[in-house]
Amino acid sequence: MSLLVTGSIGIDTVRTPFGYNKDCVGGSAIHFTMGAGLFTDVKFLGVVGEDCPFNLKELFGSRNVDLAGLEVRKGSKTFRWSGSYEGDMNSAHTEAVELNVLAEQPPQVPESYQNVGYVFLANTAPSLQMKLLDQLGSPSFVAADTMNLWITTAKEDLRELLDRIDMLIINEGEAKLLTGHRNLVTTAKAILEMGPRVVIIKKGEHGSMMMTAEGDCFLLPAYPTTVVIDPTGAGDSFAGGLMGYLASVGRVDVISLRNAMVYGTVVASYTIGDFSVYGIRNATRAMVDDRFDQLRKYTQF
Amino acid sequence: MSLLVTGSIGIDTVRTPFGYNKDCVGGSAIHFTMGAGLFTDVKFLGVVGEDCPFNLKELFGSRNVDLAGLEVRKGSKTFRWSGSYEGDMNSAHTEAVELNVLAEQPPQVPESYQNVGYVFLANTAPSLQMKLLDQLGSPSFVAADTMNLWITTAKEDLRELLDRIDMLIINEGEAKLLTGHRNLVTTAKAILEMGPRVVIIKKGEHGSMMMTAEGDCFLLPAYPTTVVIDPTGAGDSFAGGLMGYLASVGRVDVISLRNAMVYGTVVASYTIGDFSVYGIRNATRAMVDDRFDQLRKYTQF
């Protein structure tokens, strides 16, 4: 089934213990699409300024990405983010943000994007996520991400959004902030009570956890890679691999959800292997399937 | 095969967000034995002062524990530890330590403890761990734990010990301190190069990881319990469940090691469910098998 992503496209500048990468391509929709595009076609919805130096068609290469929803806005500037990672690189330190075009009107949804089956609303203001959702007809499965900022400044909007989506993908710290709980299982259950029927809590190098309203619980370690160069985009490419796989199989049962989470984990392991999208860009479905099988071997008993 | 543990017996005072427990039974050998005793007979080697208020025979209940190696030393005082946990309870804050009898001579090894098959050297000075090992003939499988203190103050002794044991069980932070690495896989490989043929890195609520010299890698999430009252002894009872299971099956192949790690995890999940040994004391092999099966369901794909 068709998959739509809406999120940011950014000009990133990143420093990690392994190097410095200035003005590289980034943003949630970019990292998501690099992952999802390994599994299925992606309808891309986002906006950049006229200063955007990236050729997204070239960037996505052999991935089948519909860019009808990419708006290049005259007189506007592209979103920019600068950040750094230290030590174990488990959290980013934001050094500068220029929202630019992201602070303006969202992109228009093309008619050809109506009646899409699977939707991922990458992290942005929940009110904006809902406005975008309003324009998308009745998708069969909607997932969203969120962050601290909205949990603390737009909690009512976020609660309204949670009641309208099927799955929330969220970081551990943010999940605990949202619910006020400290125990991960209690946290996951509290989020399910807020509306979504699936919650996935990401724990970075410690893996991820899924709980569903039907009572399924799935625990997955991260893929044990020794090559961690730049964690930027790991969460978005995790969501991309996950949603891409779900859309490719066209069903959201327990087995598909578990496999999707494994694919998300594996995709993220390629993303963090280099700066920007250089790690995931050259990954193939065969490479992803290889790590999927490896991760099964690493976890079965 | 027979299993011997040597470690501390303590009078613990613990404060967690869930309460305060004064002068309760603790110590590495106690927690280890509570776990291991669910699987096999345990030969217990340790020393207390004449002030020790605990009846260990009664404490271990139906577990088959040989206390011939328990020395009650006249004129000495029992080891005491006071600590507290806050927030997510991922690390203990030590408030007071009285080494007392632990700073004196180690206990004598009874003749009946010679030629034991499996040995666990709980955390203490590596020089002392080696002295004890010297008295134990030629056990077929020796595992040890260690801590920051010895990594920073007795590194040469520790390196000598590592060359004499089969398996090191160690916390994530301590493993990174020992090797100077930040990546978990690299860390595990570096420890294997120091001598042991198996290394298990404990990550608390984030689970554990095993690597073997033969190249096996096993990743296991923690058991997802909502009842976490007091983490004291989690690591020792993890080691107890793990070694107890290995001794009960009498072999240390890849499958046994993986199953043993799952049993260790499950045993620890009972230990943290209440203060001191109250959580694990009433656990049965059937209860442990039940969570073993549950954890398999939570992790398979």
Side-chain angles (χ1 to χ4, degrees):
Chain A
M1 284 181 82
S2 52
L3 170 64
L4 181 150
V5 58
T6 174
S8 62
I9 303 136
I11 304 175
D12 281 6
T13 294
V14 179
R15 187 189 301 276
T16 84
F18 298 95
Y20 176 70
N21 201 24
K22 190 168 158 56
D23 293 346
C24 55
V25 65
S28 57
I30 297 289
H31 290 293
F32 180 95
T33 303
M34 293 305 294
L38 289 166
F39 299 91
T40 192
D41 300 351
V42 181
K43 291 182 188 301
F44 187 96
L45 183 64
V47 55
V48 293
E50 60 184 343
D51 62 339
C52 183
F54 311 120
N55 180 336
L56 296 194
K57 192 171 162 39
E58 199 176 282
L59 181 81
F60 292 132
S62 60
R63 291 164 172 85
N64 198 355
V65 181
D66 183 346
L67 292 171
L70 172 65
E71 180 186 344
V72 182
R73 192 168 293 167
K74 288 260 161 74
S76 293
K77 291 174 74 179
T78 305
F79 168 62
R80 280 181 176 268
W81 179 78
S82 299
S84 61
Y85 300 82
E86 287 178 17
D88 59 10
M89 301 196 286
N90 271 338
S91 59
H93 173 67
T94 293
E95 284 164 7
V97 176
E98 296 173 37
L99 283 179
N100 294 330
V101 73
L102 292 192
E104 304 169 10
Q105 283 305 302
Q108 278 296 314
V109 180
E111 287 225 358
S112 61
Y113 280 24
Q114 297 295 326
N115 305 317
V116 73
Y118 288 69
V119 170
F120 184 69
L121 305 167
N123 172 40
T124 186
S127 58
L128 196 55
Q129 289 173 309
M130 284 189 282
K131 262 188 209 162
L132 287 160
L133 196 50
D134 288 339
Q135 298 174 61
L136 295 173
S138 306
S140 56
F141 191 78
V142 179
D145 189 4
T146 193
M147 71 181 290
N148 319 31
L149 181 64
W150 317 119
I151 296 169
T152 49
T153 66
K155 199 162 186 173
E156 280 189 35
D157 285 348
L158 181 57
R159 292 298 297 266
E160 201 183 324
L161 174 75
L162 287 176
D163 218 27
R164 293 184 58 186
I165 62 174
D166 300 286
M167 177 164 75
L168 181 68
I169 302 178
I170 187 169
N171 282 337
E172 181 179 16
E174 291 159 355
K176 290 178 175 177
L177 182 68
L178 173 61
T179 60
H181 291 297
R182 280 170 172 159
N183 180 282
L184 206 60
V185 177
T186 315
T187 298
K189 286 183 178 166
I191 291 173
L192 291 177
E193 281 168 17
M194 294 177 186
R197 75 173 185 83
V198 184
V199 59
I200 291 176
I201 299 179
K202 297 174 288 181
K203 305 194 292 172
E205 66 168 337
H206 298 302
S208 52
M209 175 203 219
M210 175 174 65
M211 285 196 76
T212 73
E214 295 82 17
D216 190 48
C217 171
F218 181 48
L219 307 168
L220 182 68
Y223 185 86
T225 176
T226 55
V227 186
V228 184
I229 302 297
D230 175 9
T232 309
D236 296 307
S237 71
F238 172 91
L242 193 157
M243 290 293 288
Y245 174 77
L246 284 179
S248 76
V249 295
R251 52 178 191 276
V252 194
D253 51 43
V254 167
I255 291 171
S256 305
L257 279 168
R258 286 185 174 213
N259 286 337
M261 211 162 102
V262 180
Y263 275 118
T265 295
V266 161
V267 164
S269 78
Y270 283 110
T271 297
I272 65 181
D274 206 339
F275 282 99
S276 182
V277 298
Y278 311 135
I280 185 68
R281 194 183 176 185
N282 296 319
T284 62
R285 177 65 194 259
M287 287 163 67
V288 163
D289 281 333
D290 182 56
R291 286 199 176 175
F292 182 101
D293 293 341
Q294 278 297 330
L295 192 50
R296 177 176 275 150
K297 283 182 196 152
Y298 291 149
T299 55
Q300 309 306 282
F301 63 89
Chain B
M1 283 181 83
S2 53
L3 171 64
L4 181 150
V5 59
T6 175
S8 62
I9 303 136
I11 305 176
D12 281 5
T13 294
V14 179
R15 188 189 300 276
T16 84
F18 298 96
Y20 175 71
N21 201 24
K22 191 170 157 54
D23 293 346
C24 54
V25 65
S28 57
I30 297 290
H31 290 294
F32 180 95
T33 303
M34 292 306 292
L38 290 166
F39 299 90
T40 192
D41 301 350
V42 181
K43 292 183 188 301
F44 187 97
L45 183 64
V47 55
V48 294
E50 59 184 343
D51 61 339
C52 182
F54 312 121
N55 181 334
L56 296 194
K57 191 171 163 43
E58 199 176 281
L59 181 81
F60 291 132
S62 60
R63 290 164 173 85
N64 198 355
V65 181
D66 183 346
L67 292 171
L70 172 67
E71 179 185 347
V72 182
R73 192 168 295 168
K74 289 259 163 75
S76 293
K77 291 174 74 179
T78 305
F79 168 61
R80 281 181 176 268
W81 178 78
S82 297
S84 61
Y85 300 83
E86 288 178 16
D88 59 11
M89 301 196 286
N90 271 338
S91 59
H93 173 67
T94 292
E95 283 165 6
V97 177
E98 297 174 36
L99 283 179
N100 295 330
V101 74
L102 292 192
E104 304 169 10
Q105 285 302 304
Q108 278 296 313
V109 180
E111 288 225 358
S112 60
Y113 281 24
Q114 297 295 326
N115 305 317
V116 73
Y118 288 69
V119 171
F120 184 70
L121 305 167
N123 171 41
T124 186
S127 57
L128 196 55
Q129 289 173 310
M130 284 188 283
K131 262 188 211 167
L132 288 160
L133 196 50
D134 288 339
Q135 299 176 60
L136 294 173
S138 305
S140 56
F141 191 79
V142 180
D145 190 4
T146 193
M147 71 181 292
N148 321 34
L149 181 63
W150 316 120
I151 296 169
T152 50
T153 66
K155 199 161 186 174
E156 281 189 32
D157 285 347
L158 181 57
R159 291 297 297 267
E160 200 182 325
L161 175 74
L162 288 176
D163 218 26
R164 293 184 57 185
I165 62 173
D166 300 285
M167 177 164 75
L168 181 69
I169 302 178
I170 188 170
N171 283 336
E172 180 179 16
E174 292 158 354
K176 290 179 175 176
L177 181 67
L178 173 61
T179 60
H181 291 298
R182 280 167 173 160
N183 179 282
L184 206 60
V185 178
T186 315
T187 299
K189 286 183 178 166
I191 292 174
L192 291 177
E193 281 169 17
M194 294 178 186
R197 75 172 182 86
V198 184
V199 58
I200 291 177
I201 299 179
K202 298 174 288 181
K203 304 193 294 171
E205 66 168 338
H206 298 302
S208 51
M209 175 203 221
M210 175 174 65
M211 285 196 76
T212 73
E214 294 82 18
D216 190 47
C217 171
F218 180 47
L219 308 168
L220 182 67
Y223 185 87
T225 175
T226 56
V227 187
V228 184
I229 302 297
D230 175 10
T232 309
D236 296 307
S237 71
F238 172 90
L242 192 156
M243 290 293 288
Y245 174 78
L246 283 180
S248 77
V249 296
R251 52 177 191 275
V252 194
D253 52 44
V254 168
I255 291 171
S256 305
L257 279 168
R258 286 185 174 213
N259 286 337
M261 210 162 103
V262 180
Y263 275 117
T265 294
V266 161
V267 164
S269 78
Y270 283 110
T271 297
I272 64 181
D274 206 339
F275 281 99
S276 182
V277 298
Y278 310 136
I280 186 67
R281 194 183 175 184
N282 295 319
T284 61
R285 177 67 195 257
M287 286 164 66
V288 163
D289 282 333
D290 182 56
R291 285 199 177 175
F292 182 101
D293 293 341
Q294 278 296 329
L295 192 50
R296 177 176 275 151
K297 282 182 197 154
Y298 292 149
T299 55
Q300 308 306 282
F301 63 89

